[in-house]
Amino acid sequence: MTEQRPTLADVARVAGVSRAAASRAINGTYGASEAVRRRVREVAAELGFEPHAVARALATGRGSAGRRERIEILIVDPDPEAMSAKPFYGRVLNGAMRALGDQDIALEVRRVSALPVDDTDPPFGRVLINVPGAAGAAYARRGRTVALGRSAPGVAFVAPDNDDGGRQAAVHLVATGRRRVGAVFGPATPCANERKAGFLRVMSGAGRAVASADGDFTRARAYMATRELLEREPDLDAVFASCDVTAMGVLRALRETGRRVADDVAVVGFDGSALAEAADLSSVYMPVEDEAESAIRCLLDPARPAPARLPTRLAVRGSS
């Protein structure tokens, strides 16, 4: 009788992991922690397991059809020009590609105005951006999911310290003697709400009332919101913009109404993007590339703990 060769299932059983985890560990692909890789390979050596060449090709996602595993970055943003108008998304892609390196994984980016109803071909993993909490939880139940920004309880996320960024912006304006302060805040998303909370907390403690308007992270809405603020409070001497794109609309409105930046009105943005540097805009820098890189690494290795809030830093320039 010929002795039966050990199978991948045998390796998985002895190592105490799933067959899929054993396959990833054997083939050295994404999705298995270093501890799992080491354990599985030790067991494989003990059992004398040798992976079949065809099976290896399939396991690495390069079978006869040439289909690769993919990670999807799902962005909910109603602005049709969002990908070109908002530097944030380009920085996310840069960080994601940095995390993937030379791994044979496809990166798919999908911007939608509203969440898709069906999910018939789920990817290996998803990074969620601006996805509401309940929907984020639903996606997390279907597979590996990491959100950029706080989402529903139980949904892994990576985020900068938005609250402290708002605090830094407010401290700077108070310290430079600005007393009639306005703000164009963002939409009702966790990240925008955190920036708003940090900013208002300092202003309240300093006895500064804040004239505010709601924005949506677009230049057009920020421009209109700033015009509205100036009509209500013509003597504003500072404006906090919830992101750098918003700040561009604020600056345009100030120029058109004859206000000098920063002599008459100081402006502070949030993101620290290339827009801020080009416009000589004081802005709270957040490490978007690091945020996206961490999210992808968490998808590739679920045992990897999500990082603590990433630090933000105010860069003071000519606008304030």
Side-chain angles (χ1 to χ4, degrees), residues 170-194:
V171 167
H172 172 62
L173 293 177
V174 170
T176 52
R178 305 293 173 165
R179 307 195 64 83
R180 298 176 297 280
V181 180
V184 180
F185 294 123
T189 61
C191 67
N193 289 340
E194 290 163 0

Side-chain angles (χ1 to χ4, degrees), residues 166-283:
R167 180 197 65 80
Q168 292 177 59
V171 167
H172 172 62
L173 293 177
V174 170
T176 52
R178 305 293 173 165
R179 307 195 64 83
R180 298 176 297 280
V181 180
V184 180
F185 294 123
T189 61
C191 67
N193 289 340
E194 290 163 0
R195 297 172 193 180
K196 179 178 179 180
F199 185 81
L200 291 179
R201 187 172 62 254
V202 171
M203 286 298 171
S204 176
R208 304 285 202 277
V210 177
S212 66
D214 291 330
D216 60 2
F217 289 165
T218 66
R219 299 187 197 199
R221 173 56 196 152
Y223 169 79
M224 293 303 299
T226 306
R227 296 297 295 253
E228 293 166 10
L229 284 176
L230 291 173
E231 289 179 7
R232 285 159 40 199
E233 304 287 343
D235 295 329
L236 286 180
D237 63 5
V239 178
F240 171 61
S242 57
C243 77
D244 290 347
V245 174
T246 293
M248 297 303 105
V250 172
L251 292 172
R252 177 189 166 199
L254 292 174
R255 286 196 302 269
E256 289 187 1
T257 53
R259 270 74 168 185
R260 296 171 301 167
V261 179
D263 293 336
D264 299 330
V265 185
V267 179
V268 177
F270 203 114
D271 278 345
S273 66
L275 283 177
E277 294 187 28
D280 198 22
L281 171 71
S282 295
S283 180

Side-chain angles (χ1 to χ4, degrees), residues 7-252:
T7 66
L8 183 61
D10 294 327
V11 174
R13 175 177 50 78
V14 175
V17 298
S18 69
R19 190 180 185 283
S23 175
R24 289 192 291 269
I26 289 291
N27 290 291
T29 55
Y30 44 87
S33 68
E34 185 56 38
V36 169
R37 289 191 186 98
R38 186 165 53 250
R39 171 63 178 156
V40 168
R41 289 175 179 178
E42 287 174 355
V43 169
E46 291 171 3
L47 297 180
F49 171 76
E50 295 182 4
H52 191 279
V54 174
R56 179 186 289 273
L58 292 172
T60 55
R62 300 299 293 181
S64 59
R67 180 184 176 88
R68 292 186 292 173
E69 289 282 16
R70 73 190 198 281
I71 288 177
E72 178 185 81
I73 297 179
L74 179 60
I75 302 168
V76 178
D77 193 320
D79 182 3
E81 304 299 324
M83 299 306 294
S84 59
K86 299 178 180 179
F88 174 82
Y89 297 133
R91 296 178 66 192
V92 166
L93 296 184
N94 186 37
M97 294 171 68
R98 193 166 71 189
L100 290 175
D102 294 331
Q103 297 189 69
D104 194 18
I105 307 173
L107 187 64
E108 180 177 284
V109 180
R110 182 158 58 145
R111 185 206 64 84
V112 294
S113 297
L115 287 170
V117 176
D118 55 6
D119 190 23
T120 56
D121 185 23
F124 167 78
R126 276 196 179 94
V127 175
L128 305 180
I129 302 178
N130 302 333
V131 174
Y139 278 114
R141 287 192 293 269
R142 299 172 194 159
R144 298 185 183 189
T145 302
V146 177
L148 293 192
R150 180 169 50 83
S151 185
V155 178
F157 72 91
V158 182
D161 195 341
N162 291 295
D163 183 284
D164 189 62
R167 180 197 65 80
Q168 292 177 59
V171 167
H172 172 62
L173 293 177
V174 170
T176 52
R178 305 293 173 165
R179 307 195 64 83
R180 298 176 297 280
V181 180
V184 180
F185 294 123
T189 61
C191 67
N193 289 340
E194 290 163 0
R195 297 172 193 180
K196 179 178 179 180
F199 185 81
L200 291 179
R201 187 172 62 254
V202 171
M203 286 298 171
S204 176
R208 304 285 202 277
V210 177
S212 66
D214 291 330
D216 60 2
F217 289 165
T218 66
R219 299 187 197 199
R221 173 56 196 152
Y223 169 79
M224 293 303 299
T226 306
R227 296 297 295 253
E228 293 166 10
L229 284 176
L230 291 173
E231 289 179 7
R232 285 159 40 199
E233 304 287 343
D235 295 329
L236 286 180
D237 63 5
V239 178
F240 171 61
S242 57
C243 77
D244 290 347
V245 174
T246 293
M248 297 303 105
V250 172
L251 292 172
R252 177 189 166 199

